[in-house]
Structure formats: structure tokens, C-alpha cells
Amino acid sequence: MARWNIKNVALRGVSLCVPDRVVKTEDFEFFTAEDAEVFNNTVGIKSRYLAPDDVCASDLCQAAGEKLLNELGWDKESVDVLLFESVTGDYKTPPTSCLLQDRMGFSQHCFTMDIPMGCCGCMYAMTIGANLLSAGSVKRALLLVGDTAVRMGSLKDKSRVPLFGDCGTALALEYDTAADEIRVDFQSMGKGGTALMTPHGGFRQPVTPESFIYEDFGNGIKRAPVHTLINGMDVFSFAISRPPQTVAAFMEDYGIDKDMDIDYFLIHQANKMIVDRVVKKLKLDATKVPYNLEEYGNLGGASLPSLMVSRLKEQLTTNPQTLLLSSFGLGLTWGTMFLKTKPMIIPDIIRL
């Protein structure tokens, strides 16, 4: 079973950087005014931040990371681990984390790693980073989590393009023997992987001229094999079943009372229908479940840290908090994390 009880690691801070451009649902040409209203009310995403073509996820993450390090007062030479979680790296090779090590001025002794795990990405990065720190051999880790996911799909695909936003986030972890345990559970189901995939562009199916030929699937969905696709019904069925079942089992196994022991539940902001159904299935107190998808859209792996910054900044910077995190997506993968925090550093949101 892929579970960890990670000791000696504290979350010191979180930051968020978004592009300067805001796109509202009614701005998309493929939506009528009536379509846009229905989308806003059902999917719950009313606006999103979209990066221009010359801004990459690494740029947004770098801005978030440098701001966070500055406010923490951490010298760059003290950062031992640099993880970059994204499905929109700068190149196929080299790893973007290596490029960021140089661009951000980190020591050549810094351990770097790319983690392309999609919507579960923040929890993957936290699990890997925390496990690297827990023995005390290295002391500080900077996790950069972000995507410019909109450009991965077809701009003519009404089923996908309005769901996503672009951003970069940073999380700072530090070795601390007084820190509470971080508990994590991960699961994966590769047989469902085709529900969220980019068919062409890898080595299984390299790009050919046919990769760029659009097909009309009806209902406003036009895309080519080089574009990322979403099988909406399969993803919806998965998201409202496996993750809540796992969260319930996790809380039962660890003796966690959802009403007494948790201050906030951070649920991946896929869309309002999914989050609402998860909340209902787990019978959660709605006042403990923050939402930000109406303003940011689905931010992939950065969804959970964006919630911390945009909706829980006051709580997380002033008082200890107990959080239960649930994320799900690409792979298909899903995970649950129990995390106790002390007051941390959260800079104001950056616009790039």
C-alpha cells in the first residue's frame, strides 16, 4: 500500500503567480450568451488567467518561488532540493528543474527533479520532497508546481479549453524535528489513463502530418490527435467515486473525525459539479471546503496550493491549521494527505 507517515518536515510557506490576462467565460467565441451562463452556473468557472504564448509554466513558478524565498529570508545556497511539477515543461529534454536551478541561481549541489503528474502533482511533489528531507541529510526544499495547460488542447474544443487556467506556485519545505507527521495515501489506475491524454507527440505515437488534422466530434468539440483530450463522463465517474471512497477509508484507518479534527478540506478544483458531489458523498461541512475555481478554473497540480493562497491566507499565516487534501486526475491517479501546519509565510498573489 502506497502510504507514508512522514516525520520531521514542516511547510514554511506557499506562493502563487498568475498571468496578467483574465478571460471570462463569455469571452470565448464558441459560447453564446446563454451557453456561457449555463457553463458558469453548472461548471462554476466564470473566469481564468491565461498566459501568452511566450510565458511558460516555469516563468510563473520562478516568479512565485523567488517571491517566497525573499519573504522567507532563505538564501538560495541553502536550498538543497528543487522539484518542478508540471505537464508543460519548457522542453522534452533537458528537465526544466535543471534549467530553473541555473536561472534561479541555486547551488550546483542542489538536487533537481521534474515530476509530470498533472492534477495530483502538488501532493506528489510534497510527498517526494518531504521524504527526501525527513532523514535530515538535506534541510530545505523548494517545490515549484504549475502549468500553462490551456495551450495543450485545441482552442476549438469547447469541452476542454474553458475548464483550465494557467499559474505557477511555490511551496517551501524544511527539516524540523518538532513538525507533526504528514500522512499520505496514493493510488493509481492506469487502465483509465486514456480518459485524460494527449494521443500524439510521445514515442508511442510520434508526431506526423496527420497529427494536426482536425476532426469534428460534434457539440463544439474540434481537435487533432496532437491535442489533449478529456473524456468528460469517464473522468466525472472516476472523480466522484474513487477519491471520496479513499478519503473515507483514510479517515477511518487513521481515526480522523471529519467534524472535530479537520479545519479545512482542500479538494482539487476540477469543476463545481465534481467538488460538490465529493462534498455531498463525504457529508462534509461546507464551511470547511474552500472554492476558488470560479475565479481561477482548474489549475491542475497547482489547484491545492492556489486554494491556500487565495482563500486561506489569513488562517494559514496566523494560526495552526489541520488540513485534509484530496486530489485526482491524470493517470488516473488520486491521493489523500493529512497535514498540520504552523503559521507560515504567504506572499500576496503575483501578476506576471
Side-chain angles (χ1 to χ4, degrees), residues 17-23 48-52 55 60 166 350-352:
C17 176
V18 295
D20 200 43
R21 178 189 175 205
V22 178
V23 176
R48 68 285 290 152
Y49 294 86
L50 301 185
V55 172
L60 299 169
D166 299 333
I350 305 159
R351 299 280 289 269
L352 186 64

Side-chain angles (χ1 to χ4, degrees), residues 27-240:
D27 295 333
F28 290 110
E29 293 182 357
F30 47 65
F31 277 136
T32 65
E34 183 179 354
D35 288 339
E37 184 177 1
V38 171
F39 184 90
N40 287 341
N41 292 333
T42 56
V43 180
I45 300 170
K46 299 180 179 180
S47 66
R48 68 285 290 152
Y49 294 86
L50 301 185
D53 289 345
D54 61 346
V55 172
C56 293
S58 64
D59 301 317
L60 299 169
C61 286
Q62 180 176 347
E66 289 180 339
K67 180 70 171 178
L68 181 58
L69 291 176
N70 182 62
E71 296 207 10
L72 283 168
W74 283 12
D75 188 287
K76 290 183 177 181
E77 290 288 323
S78 72
V79 177
D80 305 300
V81 174
L82 174 64
L83 305 182
F84 177 68
E85 191 293 315
S86 180
V87 294
T88 54
D90 287 9
Y91 306 98
K92 280 192 174 180
T93 59
T96 305
S97 56
C98 295
L99 303 179
L100 285 165
Q101 173 271 328
D102 177 63
R103 281 160 45 183
M104 297 182 72
F106 291 143
S107 165
Q108 292 183 19
H109 299 288
C110 183
F111 174 89
T112 59
M113 183 178 183
D114 279 21
I115 308 170
M117 290 307 298
C119 296
C120 285
C122 176
M123 285 176 47
Y124 269 94
M126 290 184 68
T127 301
I128 294 169
N131 272 303
L132 288 171
L133 296 181
S134 64
S137 300
V138 291
K139 306 296 185 183
R140 287 177 172 174
L142 184 68
L143 320 179
L144 302 180
V145 182
D147 284 300
T148 48
V150 175
R151 68 186 70 167
M152 293 176 65
S154 165
L155 295 180
K156 301 176 182 179
D157 186 349
K158 189 167 69 172
S159 71
R160 183 189 183 278
V161 82
L163 297 176
F164 291 90
D166 299 333
C167 84
T169 63
L171 302 94
L173 299 180
E174 187 170 33
Y175 178 75
D176 181 355
T177 56
D180 290 289
E181 280 189 347
I182 301 171
R183 299 172 181 170
V184 190
D185 177 284
F186 267 114
Q187 299 193 36
S188 57
M189 185 177 65
K191 70 178 180 180
T194 56
L196 291 162
M197 74 176 302
T198 307
H200 287 198
F203 291 98
R204 179 66 60 188
Q205 180 57 65
V207 170
T208 66
E210 289 72 28
S211 302
F212 299 93
I213 298 175
Y214 280 79
E215 182 176 352
D216 189 342
F217 294 88
N219 299 317
I221 302 172
K222 296 180 181 179
R223 63 172 181 262
V226 76
H227 295 132
T228 299
L229 64 85
I230 295 177
N231 187 322
M233 292 307 298
D234 287 352
V235 173
F236 182 81
S237 177
F238 154 71
I240 66 170

